[in-house]
Amino acid sequence: MRASFKFISVLIVAIHGDPVSKTRTFPQDFLWGVGSSAYQIEGGWNADNKGESIWDRMVHTYPDKIVDQSNGDITSDSYHQWRRDVQMVKDLHVSTYRFSLSWTRIMPGGYMNHVSTAGIKYYSNLIDELLRYNITPMVTIYHWDLPQRLQELGGWTNPEIIPIFKDYARLVLEMFGDRVKTWTTLNEPWHVCEYGYGVDYMAPSYDFPGIPAYLCTHNMLKAHAEVVHMYREQFQKRQRGRMGITIDSSWMQPKDANSPEDREASERALQFYVGWFAHPIFSKEGNYPKVMIDRIRNLSREQGFGSRSRLPEFTEEEVRRIRGTADFFGLNSYTTYLVHPNDHNNSVNFRVPSFDHDMGVVQTRDPNWQGSGSTWLKVVPKGLYNLIRWIHREYDGPEIIITENGVSDRGGLEDYARVDYLNSYLSAVLDAIEDGVNVSGYIVWSLMDSFEWKAGFTEKFGLYHVDFNSPKRTRTPKISAKVYGHICKSNSIDWSYRPVLDEQQLVAMAQLPADDDSLAKASGAASTATIWSWSLVLLMVTLVGLNTWHC
Ligand code: BGC
């Protein structure tokens, strides 16, 4: 029989390469997690007197702004299915679940005068259930769903938001801080400010380039800092938790690595995307990056704004108050762009003024990069390696938690493209750790398929499939859920681990609509699965053959 095993191993190696040498291990205390956000998964948009958020308002008033005219009214129905969600998190063997709180579920009008007991109870139950299974809740206080009433006051462009956000944060710290030990204040302020106010891409859907996004960031940074100071002064000692912020960026790769202009464009783009938020908090000197201050001041003057820059100024006191207000650097990153400088004639026609024009960088893609279910998301693992190394160098080695990384497809359970994405991006993270970058955790986006903002339900990021045609919103693990569970359990990447669909998955798949299995077909992943199935068949035949022969 020994001979037959040897033969089988040789056969596997011949077909798939040496699996053992492909296993790589993470540091022992590495944090593994999975994430979601309230508006994307909860549904129950007006359940138990929940108030209206800017996303509720936008999807109901302008359904055409969403690719499939859908909305988050029910979405993955986590408002009712949170127990099942926790089971799914548990089955992934992660130690951390990152989710966000819906402001209007807790304070329907945004203010303290009306606090919803049902809202508090919902999150309290969720937190308790997670803790029951030793899963650490990591809570995002704000993930894009501003109370609509506050938007009517100008939202994040009105400095009045700072004390109001602080009131909301105080309440959630009082309610949940005894059990939640990891907090982030804001998710992706770049998206909130530029895509919400600069260009009409996300709620509240302004189309006002070059001015309100800078006001929005100014207020968000101050609001963030006030909440962190409050936490440190009034809660941290007693509650013994940590608080950071989540900043997002793609890697900005110089189009021509040998061109000094392209390299400068890359550096400038990183300062505009990352430094806009990170420099005030994580750099030694604080404040916005010098390149932003100078460029926007000069351009404002040229554009006739006089001596007042469109980028607001911090006072010395504010610079000091914001600097150092994070216990860790939360980073969301998915992809890479190629960058080169815009020319003096602005021949790419950026609007004037605008964030893009102020930055003066043109972003393109390499047509050879592998795609995904989203046009903006190309698979370039080395980009994540470069980005975290840049953050490490720029801010003197802060602790980085990758709070989001993942890939989209168009549906289906055989998501081998996602498996490959996770393995290759995690290899890049490990390369950076081995080079001395302080990455302490990785949180995959996302736990389950959900409402993908403007893309509605057309793009799926989940490790778990959700059947949106079924009133039960049935959840089924995809292949990637098994693989990620294996990664978290073994604390290592194992390229040779490529499970095939099990019986439960096959039954679930048979019930899905035909168009919900396009990933496998589109990405060629089916052929990988098929190769493996054939390998198995071959092995079985060999085994039977060998046994017969031995007998
Ligand atoms: C956001 C998520 C979103 C993901 C994929 C991130 O920018 O935080 O809410 O689903 O990207 O688009």
Side-chain angles (χ1 to χ4, degrees), residues 40 143-144 187-188 332 334 376 404 445 452-453 461:
Q40 292 180 274
H143 195 127
W144 304 2
N187 179 69
E188 301 194 353
N332 290 358
Y334 292 83
W376 59 270
E404 277 182 35
W445 187 267
E452 181 48 35
W453 309 111
F461 278 84

Side-chain angles (χ1 to χ4, degrees), residues 367-378:
N368 296 319
W369 286 342
Q370 192 193 315
S372 70
S374 315
T375 45
W376 59 270
L377 205 170
K378 307 289 176 202

